[in-house]
Every structure is written in C-alpha cells, then in structure tokens.
C-alpha cells in the first residue's frame, strides 16, 4: 500500500508551470517580426532564467525550424512533450519536422507497446495520478459493499466489480508511474550536427575494417552507455546508442544533445 501511495504522490508532484516573463514576451515579439535568430536567443535566455517550460521549448523549436536547424527543433519539441505529452500542436510539429529529416528509422515497437504509450500520452502525469486515486476510492467502496451489504446480489456486485476496478486501477497506476518516469528520463538524445557516424568501437575510425554508418541531423537515439576517451583527439566521450530499439553502435557525445 505504501508503494502505491508513493507512486501517486510522485506523479502528483511531477507537473510544473512557468509564468510568462519579459524575456519570453520579447522573444514572441522578435518571432512575430521574423527575427528568428533573436527569438531563439531570447527563448533560450528565458529558459535559463525561469527553468523548464513546455511553452518555451515549443516556441524555441518553432524558431529553430525557421532557422533551418531541424535537429534543434526536434530536440526542443521533444523536451516540450516531456513536460506536456498531451500538447497536440507540439506533437503535430514534431511529426512534421521528423517527416522532413534524412534519416527516419522505422518504429519496430510492438503493437501493444505503441498502444500503451499512446494511452500514457493522453493525460498529464498528475491527471493519471488523480484517475488512479479515484479508482482506488471506488475499489475501497466495492470492498465495503462486499463486506457490509446484506443482499447477495449487492455483495456479488461488490466482489466482481471490485476485481474489475482493481485491475483498471493497477493499470492506471502503471500509466501514471510510466508518465512520471518518462518525464524524468534523459536516456534519449537528438543528433544536432549535420552528419555524424555510428562506429563499431568508441573511437575515431583507424582502419577500413571498422564499420562506420553515417546518420544525420534530427535522428533520435537511445543512450545505453557512455565511455570517456581522453586519448581520442576528436572526442573525449562516446555514447553507446540504440536506434530503432535494436541496433547498437557508438557515436561522439558532442554530436548529440540529451532530451
């Protein structure tokens, strides 16, 4: 029971908001005047001053798209969705920019995994927590009905209804916990340079026998591991990454930014 209540409390505490600031208003004005470079700089300053904001990340993504920097645009749309996964405008813009980048790995996630993540993104983490809390109260009511009702029909309703509500509650709790975990995770990154290379080893290519695969700006990768390479003249750190949930390789840490 304590673990269940802990998950709910964590989820309820996960949401945050940022009020409009003078910097963000100046950035909006610069964007309206089509001064996208200035708008991007001001949105970045506003984020540094006020902290994470789904709205600021969304606006910054729009500015970077206008500056023809799809990697930075995708990065900031993804950051916005971590804070507000229900924002359809951000998701629409992200899908649009993803459709225009050079590398578009095919999603090999299972059907049920895609359904689960789609449901998880329907509500904010705190909303899922409140739904789980409400279902838990209904479950307790069903238990009370089963224990205290005089009618056999009502006791059956409490028993079987309680079982159904408990399983729905448990899955809703999983959605709430998964939504919080997704918002707090930084295991994914976006390629922000025009081209980088996936290597079979965490070092610069030293021979023709080493397999090297180019990937391009905007590609999303999952970081599995990292290793410091102080003796490598091109990069002091490498990431072991997955693309498309399966393929693993190494790339320079400096060529990507974590979401």
């Amino acid at each position: 029971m304590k673990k269940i209540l802990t998950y709910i409390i964590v989820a309820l505490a996960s949401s945050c908001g940022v009020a409009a600031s003078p910097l963000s208003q100046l950035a909006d004005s610069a964007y309206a005047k089509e001064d996208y470079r200035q708008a991007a700089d001001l949105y970045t300053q506003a984020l540094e001053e006020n902290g994470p904001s789904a709205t600021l990340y969304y606006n910054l993504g729009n500015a970077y798209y206008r500056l023809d920097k799809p990697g930075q645009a995708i990065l900031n749309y993804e950051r916005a969705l971590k804070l507000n996964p229900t924002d359809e405008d951000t998701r629409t813009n992200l899908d649009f920019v993803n459709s225009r980048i050079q590398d578009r790995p095919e999603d090999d996630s299972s059907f049920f995994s895609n359904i689960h993540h789609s449901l998880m993104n329907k509500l904010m983490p705190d909303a899922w927590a409140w739904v789980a809390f409400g279902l838990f109260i209904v479950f307790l009511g069903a238990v009370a009905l089963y224990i205290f009702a005089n009618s056999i029909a009502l006791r059956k309703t409490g028993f079987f209804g309680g079982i159904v509500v408990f399983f729905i509650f448990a899955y809703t709790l999983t959605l709430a916990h998964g939504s919080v975990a997704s918002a707090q995770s930084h295991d994914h990154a976006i390629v922000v340079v025009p081209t980088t290379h996936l290597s079979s080893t965490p070092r610069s290519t030293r021979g023709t026998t080493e397999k090297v695969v180019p990937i391009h700006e905007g590609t999303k990768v999952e970081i599995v591991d990292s290793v410091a390479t102080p003796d490598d003249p091109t990069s002091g750190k490498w990431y072991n990454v997955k693309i498309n949930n399966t393929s693993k390789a190494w790339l320079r840490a400096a060529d990507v930014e974590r979401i």
Side-chain angles (χ1 to χ4, degrees):
M1 184 63 67
K2 289 183 179 180
K3 190 173 182 180
I4 290 174
L5 293 176
T6 299
Y7 283 163
I8 292 177
I9 292 169
V10 170
L12 289 174
S14 66
S15 61
C16 62
V18 174
S21 69
L23 278 175
S24 64
Q25 293 172 356
L26 288 173
D28 292 341
S29 178
Y31 188 93
K33 295 175 183 177
E34 299 185 1
D35 187 352
Y36 302 121
R37 179 69 270 168
Q38 179 71 3
D41 291 342
L42 289 169
Y43 284 132
T44 300
Q45 291 178 42
L47 283 163
E48 292 172 352
E49 180 181 280
N50 299 307
S53 161
T55 299
L56 289 176
Y57 281 134
Y58 170 74
N59 290 336
L60 182 56
N62 289 340
Y64 274 124
Y65 174 73
R66 295 292 187 177
L67 291 169
D68 196 25
K69 293 188 174 182
Q72 288 289 347
I74 290 171
L75 174 67
N76 284 283
Y77 289 146
E78 291 277 9
R79 286 173 173 171
L81 287 174
K82 284 176 73 69
L83 297 176
N84 183 9
T86 66
D87 193 299
E88 291 300 326
D89 289 338
T90 303
R91 196 167 297 281
T92 297
N93 286 11
L94 175 61
D95 291 341
F96 173 75
V97 180
N98 274 327
S99 71
R100 298 173 66 87
I101 63 175
Q102 188 165 346
D103 300 322
R104 295 190 294 274
E106 183 179 348
D107 184 10
D108 61 354
S109 300
S110 69
F111 171 78
F112 292 107
S113 176
N114 287 333
I115 292 294
H116 174 75
H117 283 92
S118 177
L119 285 173
M120 193 168 65
N121 292 332
K122 293 295 183 183
L123 295 175
M124 295 285 286
D126 57 335
W128 277 122
W130 282 114
V131 171
F133 181 75
L135 288 169
F136 185 65
I137 296 300
V138 174
F139 169 72
L140 292 179
V143 171
L145 185 65
Y146 171 72
I147 294 174
F148 299 109
N150 294 322
S151 168
I152 294 179
L154 288 177
R155 294 185 66 186
K156 285 184 177 179
T157 300
F159 179 79
F160 292 108
I163 291 175
V164 172
V165 171
F166 178 80
F167 280 108
I168 297 175
F169 158 74
Y171 181 62
T172 304
L173 188 63
T174 300
L175 292 171
H177 183 248
S179 185
V180 172
S182 177
Q184 295 176 343
S185 171
H186 297 283
D187 293 337
H188 288 84
I190 303 296
V191 176
V192 293
V193 296
T195 304
T196 187
H197 295 86
L198 298 174
S199 175
S200 57
T201 57
R203 62 179 183 177
S204 302
T205 305
R206 299 181 182 178
T208 57
T209 58
E210 294 185 16
K211 185 178 180 181
V212 176
V213 178
I215 59 173
H216 303 88
E217 187 174 5
T219 304
K220 185 177 181 179
V221 299
E222 181 182 354
I223 299 172
V224 178
D225 197 5
S226 64
V227 62
T229 53
D231 297 331
D232 191 328
T234 65
S235 180
K237 189 175 184 179
W238 288 71
Y239 288 143
N240 187 218
V241 302
K242 287 197 301 184
I243 297 180
N244 227 19
N245 297 322
T246 52
S247 305
K248 282 187 181 181
W250 294 91
L251 57 69
R252 289 189 293 267
D255 294 342
V256 301
E257 283 193 40
R258 289 180 183 262
I259 297 171

